[in-house]
Amino acid sequence: MAAKKLNIKDKYRLLTRDLDWEFSYQDRNKAFPFEEFEGIKITDWSKWEDPFRLTMDAYWKYQAEKERKLYAIFDAFAQNNGQLNISDPRYVNALKIFLTGVSPLEYQAFQGFAHTGRQFGGVGARVACQMQSIDELRHVQTQVHAMSHYNKFFDGLQDWSHMHDRVWYLSVPKSFFNDARAAGPFEFMVAIGFSFEYVLTNLLFVPFMSGAAYNGDMATVTFGFSAQSDEARHMTLGLEVIKFLLEQHEDNVPIVQKWIDKWFWRGTRLLTIVSMMMDYMLPNKVMSWKEAWEVYFEEAGGALFKDLARYGIRMPKYADIIEKEKEHVSHQAWWTFYTHGHAAGFHTWIPTDEELDWLSEKYPETFDKYYRPRWELAKEMEAKGERFYTKALPQLCTTCQIPMLFTEMDNPTQISYRDSIYKGDRYHFCSDGCKDIFDDEPEKFVQSWLPVHQIFQGNCGGPGVEDILRDYYQMNVGVDNMDIKGSPDEERWKKWKGVA
């Protein structure tokens, strides 16, 4: 008699239940040593359910088909000189930020989910983490391959992994994932699986992929579409993790709420660089950061937290502050990079008159009052040959490692500054959110590797900024950094396009 063909549900049950084993002669707690130390209580792992019920044979078949289509488009993009179709050479600087700041995080996610999945006693959660780990590895590979074509024609893309490890502003995304990976397995899942993948991922990927489409970059658009079905599974896993933990035991609720508060704040601080890209770096703009925040968090996130309220979960702490900061963070971030353009691995510029008008339209309450006058002054100085560069190194927040560029929301002309004293040493913070995170885990954050501190201690190469850029960061000084105007990137672009 022919063997009965199993349906998806039966296959998934065999994979995630019948492959597990009972511990007869070893202590189960020794096999999963990290499962209990965070204080999370799991009463029944069998309650874990993956709505996708994805099995390994289906996974490989599905991903292989996507790979074939994706790399065919990459080949066509290269063969047809796709770099000539982008809107403006300024756009490539957004790719430089993505490749050095975001793609390495995909690799950290691959490592993090592989490690985390091993720590769970429930086999369903282990399988889900294994598949997401493989997804994240695929994502970094496809992103690097998509952008490798630009490395043949533009500067600043040649040493992205080295730059991620060493360049001062890239310590912000790196420290974010280092913090998550140094946490326990359940906090990692709340940090990355829920707070980042579910609550905030649309604010990262949708603007980047839409921006690529608006600016003629079909290679980047294609890897975004290829990853989108994976991201849908990741978002579902993040939501499943939260609901599973909250339904397992009532004692889990305050622990999960604390993690949501922490990682929402850390995630929004990390997305400052996305806000800057959306408002200033895209020649053809999709929407403002303010509009994106309203659509993808205030509306979508608001509905999510209303749903979680039945478990006792409230909106993240300081969400009201972020709602006010949406008017300011992109302008404050781009001004900081403009004034430190000589020390950045991408080009900076003053917005055109049309772009300034667009910003005035999108930020009617704040831009003309606080930020347009700065850019008008910067234009006057540059016209006189006095382009402004900050000579000093910025003070950094101990928690998020972003320069102290944010302002008080009730007085946007005043820099926001907080501090804490721990064992006789004073630590500095950009906000109440970052101070709260430090005060809860001071033993962890006193170990922060702050680039400015390390430079002053002589741990980053020679004594001057140029020595550090050249020897420690391995930048091509005067080529990878400085203004877009007159750069080799711009000159090559004009030559290709036949523009005088």
Side-chain angles (χ1 to χ4, degrees), residues 252-319:
N252 295 344
V253 175
I255 300 173
V256 170
Q257 181 68 64
K258 184 179 79 168
W259 289 339
I260 290 175
D261 292 345
K262 172 186 174 180
W263 289 102
F264 169 79
W265 186 261
R266 291 226 61 188
T268 53
R269 276 294 184 251
L270 177 62
L271 291 176
T272 298
I273 206 163
V274 179
S275 72
M276 175 184 85
M277 181 275 298
M278 291 183 67
D279 284 349
Y280 285 88
M281 301 185 75
L282 295 180
N284 295 335
K285 303 187 189 307
V286 182
M287 64 173 72
S288 69
W289 170 252
K290 175 183 174 182
E291 291 169 324
W293 182 260
E294 290 169 349
V295 170
Y296 294 114
F297 181 76
E298 291 180 12
E299 295 178 17
L304 166 67
F305 283 100
K306 283 180 182 177
D307 182 49
L308 293 178
R310 60 196 171 111
Y311 296 105
I313 294 295
R314 53 165 172 75
M315 281 285 281
K317 191 177 182 181
Y318 299 124

Side-chain angles (χ1 to χ4, degrees), residues 394-397 402-406 415-418 428-430:
Q395 185 180 34
L396 304 182
C397 173
I402 296 176
M404 307 285 268
L405 59 92
F406 302 103
I415 293 293
S416 175
Y417 173 85
R418 306 290 185 271
H428 310 283
F429 311 99
C430 68

Side-chain angles (χ1 to χ4, degrees), residues 5 84 124 201 316:
K5 186 175 181 180
L84 298 179
T201 194

Side-chain angles (χ1 to χ4, degrees), residues 148-352:
S148 64
H149 180 71
Y150 290 99
N151 184 45
K152 302 173 185 177
F153 306 100
F154 295 94
D155 300 306
L157 295 152
Q158 71 277 359
D159 214 355
W160 55 274
S161 181
H162 179 89
M163 289 179 67
H164 180 75
D165 284 342
R166 296 194 174 191
V167 174
W168 60 277
Y169 56 88
L170 297 174
S171 73
V172 176
K174 185 180 179 184
S175 72
F176 176 90
F177 249 93
N178 285 351
D179 185 4
R181 289 180 58 199
F186 290 110
E187 183 179 350
F188 179 87
M189 291 301 296
V190 172
I192 308 304
F194 177 72
S195 295
F196 200 77
E197 291 277 10
Y198 193 90
V199 180
L200 300 174
T201 194
N202 281 336
L203 283 159
L204 172 62
F205 270 94
V206 174
F208 261 113
M209 302 316 144
S210 300
Y214 271 58
N215 288 277
D217 178 8
M218 298 316 296
T220 300
V221 172
T222 306
F223 87 61
F225 281 139
S226 181
Q228 200 58 44
S229 57
D230 300 336
E231 295 299 335
R233 277 190 288 107
H234 300 173
M235 292 173 73
T236 305
L237 174 61
L239 190 59
E240 173 61 24
V241 167
I242 285 290
K243 291 187 174 181
F244 174 75
L245 293 179
L246 296 174
E247 290 171 355
Q248 283 295 298
H249 201 285
E250 61 185 12
D251 290 352
N252 295 344
V253 175
I255 300 173
V256 170
Q257 181 68 64
K258 184 179 79 168
W259 289 339
I260 290 175
D261 292 345
K262 172 186 174 180
W263 289 102
F264 169 79
W265 186 261
R266 291 226 61 188
T268 53
R269 276 294 184 251
L270 177 62
L271 291 176
T272 298
I273 206 163
V274 179
S275 72
M276 175 184 85
M277 181 275 298
M278 291 183 67
D279 284 349
Y280 285 88
M281 301 185 75
L282 295 180
N284 295 335
K285 303 187 189 307
V286 182
M287 64 173 72
S288 69
W289 170 252
K290 175 183 174 182
E291 291 169 324
W293 182 260
E294 290 169 349
V295 170
Y296 294 114
F297 181 76
E298 291 180 12
E299 295 178 17
L304 166 67
F305 283 100
K306 283 180 182 177
D307 182 49
L308 293 178
R310 60 196 171 111
Y311 296 105
I313 294 295
R314 53 165 172 75
M315 281 285 281
K317 191 177 182 181
Y318 299 124
D320 58 324
I321 300 296
I322 298 295
E323 186 174 344
K324 296 174 182 176
E325 285 191 344
K326 70 188 179 187
E327 294 272 2
H328 301 275
V329 291
S330 66
H331 317 303
Q332 294 168 358
W334 185 246
W335 178 256
T336 300
F337 275 107
Y338 174 77
T339 58
H340 291 82
H342 57 300
F346 56 90
H347 302 299
T348 53
W349 55 86
I350 297 173
T352 65

Side-chain angles (χ1 to χ4, degrees), residues 424-466:
D425 290 325
R426 187 179 301 275
Y427 298 88
H428 310 283
F429 311 99
C430 68
S431 57
D432 291 319
C434 284
K435 175 177 162 56
D436 285 354
I437 292 168
F438 176 92
D439 289 342
D440 187 59
E441 301 175 275
E443 301 88 348
K444 187 176 195 177
F445 288 96
V446 296
Q447 302 174 64
S448 296
W449 197 93
L450 300 175
V452 172
H453 291 196
Q454 298 299 320
I455 289 170
F456 281 133
Q457 291 171 30
N459 297 327
C460 301
V465 170
E466 189 168 314

